[in-house]
Amino acid sequence: MADLEKEIQDLKEELSKANEEIEKLSRIKSEFISVVSHELRTPLTSIKESVSLVLDGVAGPISEEQKKFLTISKNNIERLTKLIIDILDLSKLEAGRILMFKRKLNINDVIKDVCASTKILAEQKNIEFTISLGGSVEPTWFDPDRIGQVLKNLISNAIKFNKVNGKVNVSSAKETIKNRNFIKVTIEDSGIGIPAEDKENLFRNFSPLDTSMTRKHSGTGLGLAISKGMIELHGGDIWVVSEPDIGSKFIFTIPLYKKDEEFDFLIEEAIEKAKHNDARISLMVFDIKDAKYKTEDITAGIEGIIRNTIRGPGDKVVRCKKKECVVIIACADRPGSMAIIRRLKGNIKVPLIFGISVYPDEAMDKEELLKKAEEDLKTGKNQVTSKKVLLIIDDEEALASMLSFRLQNSGFDTITATDGDTGVGLAKENKPDLILLDLMMPKVDGFEVSKRLKSDFATKNIPIVVFSALVNKNTKESIKKLNAAGFIEKPFEPNVLINKINSILEGKNG
Amino acid sequence: MDKKIVLLVDDDSDLAKMLKIRIESEGYEFKHAGDGKQLLEILNVKKPDVILLDIMLPNIDGYSVLREMRKNERYADIPVIILSAKEKKKVGDLFILEKIAFFIEKPFDTKDLMEKISEAITYGGRRQT
């Protein structure tokens, strides 16, 4: 019996080792393809530009015959470029390294855009190109670039593989499949159709049907495989219905989310994105049990403040309501999302139940993230109100960052400024609990900073600890006049500083 | 009126030779820097109206060059078009941070590049796509 158990254990270990190895190989492969793709693009750029310089006549007049051959060259460069881009996309899809930038949009708008740009292809073949967009199509979450790519691929296929004077119709509709709502997009053509035995292979890389046709139609043979991957990453499906000699219908779906589903979806998205970017995500939960907070104005107001605090298109703010709380997820592409939470302090009247800021490796999935949030709530860790905020103003960047590191380890939250002007600005914006101020700074020095802070209503009550290296009798006198909460001579022992900070903060509170 | 100046920062000298012909044929003055150091040298002499910046540069990469450049107020408003063999998605955040006017993937479409150059000069570096 023991032998058997040991054998199973050994097998398990072997299996997990093998799995690791496969994952590693897949990563190496995808990295290799990525590097190679970039290396191929650079010389291709020069080839393309040199050909078009001659072809466009910028380098002097050319004959019709020369033009003909250079056009062949140009078309093949385009094809090669597309192939490289497709291979890169596909390798990323396979390695699970493609990131979707989903936004809540109406797919009809994307369909209109793509149709406008592909219309010319249809006109060239005298194909009747029609669009019938469903009025009941609601906005849903998808990456407009990626879905646009899929649409473009399917529509240009429908045109390319069609007969002259044929028909292509693009339509959208809302549909319920197995109790779930989807947006369904159909691209219908009057082409030669696809034989039943080929349907299975159609969505594979370099599928036989596709390759035999690609040379004729300048495709890459990868389009359908990429489309399938993209659609699946949206939680949708893609398939084909076809009748030989009558035509084919390519259909794909994208999920529509109900309120509760949207909440889950958005949290997962935020985690996924943070993981990919190595960024933090912040979760802010506001209590709206009280009826007076339940108005749309108030929740929209919170969202507005957060939007103003976060800067950058990559930073995402979403709001979802669930029973008795509003959850706002902010995804910041750079460290500092804790600062966002901090800046909300006092700006919002609605009680903040908790706010956490985590790196994704601390929260691998939604369940873990929520669990961590709950734990933090219980222990008080990471809570908005639990940490005192210190503003460090010092022109010596190295010292400021070391000090900041040290203070963070001692349970403080820190903000740093490396010049006086910025320091005053940050003080007003963040209203820190205490300011550490270096006196000797170029341009706006510590004396000036202190003067400005003390004269501003918003900052005049914040205690300031000044530090300086140059202390003679005169400076000592001027420092006294500053009326600072504390003074420390450089160089100082970090512990001395921390003790001083603590005693000032406690004194102030008590 | 003086000709508008287009400055290319790219270590690919073949591409620079060709873009010189193309860009001059469109009525601009063309300047070329092979790396970040040369860029700063050119900036000291004359301020360009638009910069075409490659990312994979020798020694210091394009983003660091851009960051350095933006620190100087004199050069903070020059429109910058990124011209790179790397993908756009990876740098979403920098779009706003460093005020990139456009991101063009290599190999580029010349007509598209010319349109973006003219647009960047007209609307300045703050326009986002």
Side-chain angles (χ1 to χ4, degrees):
Chain A
M1 213 43 192
D3 278 356
L4 190 63
E5 261 171 38
K6 193 182 175 297
E7 209 172 301
I8 292 171
Q9 191 58 38
D10 287 351
L11 277 173
K12 266 190 188 164
E13 268 170 33
E14 243 170 73
L15 195 64
S16 92
K17 252 188 212 161
N19 268 339
E20 265 172 41
E21 196 63 24
I22 290 169
E23 237 167 68
K24 201 175 130 199
L25 284 174
S26 153
R27 211 171 44 237
I28 291 171
K29 180 188 145 205
S30 117
E31 265 159 26
F32 173 77
I33 290 174
S34 158
V35 169
V36 169
S37 302
H38 297 145
E39 289 303 311
L40 288 172
R41 279 180 186 220
T42 305
L44 208 52
T45 308
S46 289
I47 298 171
K48 190 175 171 181
E49 183 54 20
S50 60
V51 169
S52 38
L53 267 181
V54 181
L55 196 56
D56 295 351
V58 182
I62 55 166
S63 72
E64 279 307 308
E65 196 71 358
Q66 286 164 333
K67 204 169 184 172
K68 202 171 85 190
F69 289 122
L70 277 176
T71 307
I72 295 174
S73 179
K74 193 187 169 194
N75 290 344
N76 279 285
I77 293 166
E78 301 286 350
R79 204 178 140 205
L80 195 55
T81 308
K82 191 164 182 318
L83 192 61
I84 291 167
I85 293 169
D86 278 2
I87 289 174
L88 189 61
D89 270 351
L90 201 64
S91 76
K92 281 192 296 187
L93 275 170
E94 277 177 352
R97 284 173 142 215
I98 204 156
L99 186 68
M100 295 289 150
F101 285 75
K102 290 180 192 166
R103 288 190 283 151
K104 198 171 187 175
L105 298 166
N106 195 320
I107 200 161
N108 286 348
D109 295 335
V110 180
I111 296 177
K112 275 184 229 158
D113 281 354
V114 176
C115 287
S117 71
T118 42
K119 217 171 115 192
I120 184 145
L121 294 174
E123 280 164 7
Q124 282 163 4
K125 261 182 104 170
N126 206 18
I127 282 170
E128 193 188 328
F129 190 38
T130 49
I131 314 168
S132 35
L133 303 175
S136 62
V137 170
E138 297 160 29
T140 191
W141 292 87
F142 62 91
D143 182 328
D145 289 348
R146 294 310 191 178
I147 292 300
Q149 190 184 346
V150 172
L151 273 165
K152 198 174 170 189
N153 176 42
L154 294 178
I155 294 172
S156 49
N157 277 351
I159 296 169
K160 276 190 244 164
F161 299 111
N162 217 318
K163 24 181 191 269
V164 179
N165 300 326
K167 282 180 189 168
V168 170
N169 181 53
V170 185
S171 62
S172 64
K174 188 178 155 183
E175 193 158 290
T176 308
I177 303 168
K178 285 180 195 155
N179 219 6
R180 287 205 61 192
N181 293 329
F182 289 91
I183 301 290
K184 188 172 113 174
V185 180
T186 310
I187 295 100
E188 191 175 359
D189 67 57
S190 61
I192 46 167
I194 298 150
E197 61 267 28
D198 283 332
K199 270 191 214 165
E200 215 177 298
N201 290 327
L202 205 54
F203 293 98
R204 287 201 192 146
N205 310 343
F206 298 114
S207 74
L209 177 82
D210 220 3
T211 9
S212 66
M213 302 293 268
T214 43
R215 215 149 295 139
K216 214 160 82 193
H217 299 285
S218 72
T220 61
L222 297 170
L224 288 177
I226 292 170
S227 297
K228 187 174 160 47
M230 299 287 182
I231 295 295
E232 281 172 355
L233 274 177
H234 279 83
D237 206 353
I238 183 167
W239 68 94
V240 64
V241 183
S242 181
E243 260 185 76
D245 292 330
I246 292 177
S248 311
K249 276 187 202 174
F250 280 85
I251 302 156
F252 71 84
T253 54
I254 296 176
L256 272 170
Y257 299 97
K258 289 181 195 132
K259 277 268 178 272
D260 273 12
E261 289 169 352
E262 191 171 45
F263 174 86
D264 289 347
F265 162 78
L266 290 172
I267 291 184
E268 264 155 26
E269 278 282 304
I271 295 170
E272 200 48 47
K273 178 155 191 235
K275 260 192 217 170
H276 199 276
N277 283 350
D278 227 358
R280 298 182 205 216
I281 80 163
S282 297
L283 202 64
M284 282 156 263
V285 180
F286 298 91
D287 189 354
I288 55 160
K289 256 177 271 170
D290 199 330
K292 70 176 175 194
Y293 299 132
K294 270 192 179 154
T295 68
E296 185 61 22
D297 283 357
I298 285 186
T299 41
I302 302 174
E303 199 188 328
I305 290 169
I306 294 173
R307 265 184 211 290
N308 283 337
T309 332
I310 299 186
R311 303 171 186 102
D315 298 343
K316 188 149 118 187
V317 182
V318 284
R319 174 192 6 150
C320 18
K321 273 188 219 174
K322 205 176 193 188
K323 284 174 201 156
E324 293 174 326
C325 62
V326 176
V327 179
I328 293 182
I329 305 156
C331 202
D333 279 358
R334 44 190 170 273
S337 41
M338 202 60 210
I340 297 160
I341 302 176
R342 200 168 51 222
R343 279 179 217 169
L344 290 172
K345 208 168 83 178
N347 279 333
I348 292 175
K349 301 283 182 299
V350 184
L352 184 58
I353 305 178
F354 66 78
I356 62 162
S357 178
V358 283
Y359 276 110
D361 53 342
E362 293 169 25
M364 290 311 283
D365 61 25
K366 189 186 74 198
E367 272 68 36
E368 280 170 59
L369 179 80
L370 293 177
K371 215 172 93 193
K372 183 173 160 52
E374 268 169 43
E375 272 168 25
D376 285 356
L377 185 61
K378 266 183 219 149
T379 58
K381 195 188 150 206
N382 270 339
Q383 268 208 60
V384 186
T385 47
S386 68
K387 279 187 186 176
K388 295 284 183 195
V389 181
L390 310 177
L391 170 63
I392 304 163
I393 309 174
D394 195 327
D395 64 310
E396 239 179 280
E397 249 173 82
L399 183 81
S401 62
M402 254 156 47
L403 200 56
S404 160
F405 180 74
R406 190 68 198 233
L407 291 167
Q408 278 174 8
N409 280 350
S410 308
F412 295 104
D413 226 329
T414 58
I415 318 164
T416 51
T418 49
D419 65 85
D421 266 334
T422 316
V424 173
L426 285 175
K428 282 183 195 166
E429 199 177 344
N430 292 287
K431 299 192 191 67
D433 295 288
L434 186 140
I435 296 169
L436 296 166
L437 177 64
D438 181 27
L439 288 176
M440 301 305 156
M441 289 189 293
K443 283 190 230 163
V444 185
D445 67 7
F447 293 100
E448 174 65 22
V449 170
S450 170
K451 211 169 87 188
R452 287 197 209 167
L453 291 173
K454 293 285 179 202
S455 64
D456 192 309
F457 185 77
T459 53
K460 70 173 193 183
N461 289 324
I462 303 172
I464 303 173
V465 173
V466 292
F467 43 84
S468 178
L470 277 168
V471 185
N472 54 39
K473 218 177 157 194
N474 281 342
T475 22
K476 265 192 182 156
E477 279 304 308
S478 344
I479 290 167
K480 256 190 194 166
K481 281 187 199 142
L482 279 177
N483 206 8
F487 169 73
I488 282 188
E489 201 172 328
K490 270 182 176 177
F492 50 79
E493 274 291 312
N495 284 338
V496 175
L497 177 70
I498 290 163
N499 285 339
K500 195 148 215 154
I501 292 170
N502 278 329
S503 71
I504 292 170
L505 289 175
E506 278 161 25
K508 195 192 163 206
N509 292 342
Chain B
M1 212 175 88
D2 275 353
K3 279 183 181 174
K4 299 280 183 196
I5 302 169
V6 178
L7 170 59
L8 170 76
V9 190
D10 198 318
D11 60 328
D12 185 344
S13 56
D14 283 343
L15 183 69
K17 267 179 230 156
M18 289 184 293
L19 277 180
K20 182 179 159 64
I21 297 172
R22 173 75 72 174
I23 284 169
E24 284 178 351
S25 83
E26 299 273 330
Y28 300 109
E29 187 179 332
F30 179 83
K31 290 212 180 304
H32 174 229
D35 59 23
K37 207 173 141 256
Q38 281 180 25
L39 164 73
L40 296 177
E41 281 165 16
I42 293 175
L43 282 180
N44 281 332
V45 181
K46 203 162 185 190
K47 193 171 153 178
D49 294 281
V50 63
I51 294 175
L52 311 178
L53 181 64
D54 185 26
I55 297 306
M56 308 270 267
L57 290 171
N59 305 322
I60 319 164
D61 74 273
Y63 290 131
S64 307
V65 169
L66 185 57
R67 217 168 284 131
E68 271 315 301
M69 193 187 90
R70 291 295 195 217
K71 275 185 192 164
N72 188 326
E73 263 177 48
R74 231 180 81 110
Y75 313 125
D77 60 345
I78 306 174
V80 169
I81 298 174
I82 299 288
L83 209 58
S84 172
K86 288 219 171 219
E87 286 163 288
K88 169 185 172 179
K89 292 284 180 188
K90 291 235 161 100
V91 295
D93 188 37
L94 281 151
F95 255 68
I96 282 252
L97 277 185
E98 315 295 355
K99 296 180 202 129
I100 294 168
F102 294 105
F103 191 106
I104 299 179
E105 277 179 25
K106 281 184 187 173
F108 50 82
D109 180 65
T110 319
K111 207 174 133 239
D112 180 47
L113 176 67
M114 292 306 143
E115 279 170 14
K116 296 280 160 66
I117 287 176
S118 131
E119 214 171 312
I121 291 175
T122 317
Y123 296 105
R126 277 157 208 278
R127 204 188 124 95
Q128 285 119 33
T129 46

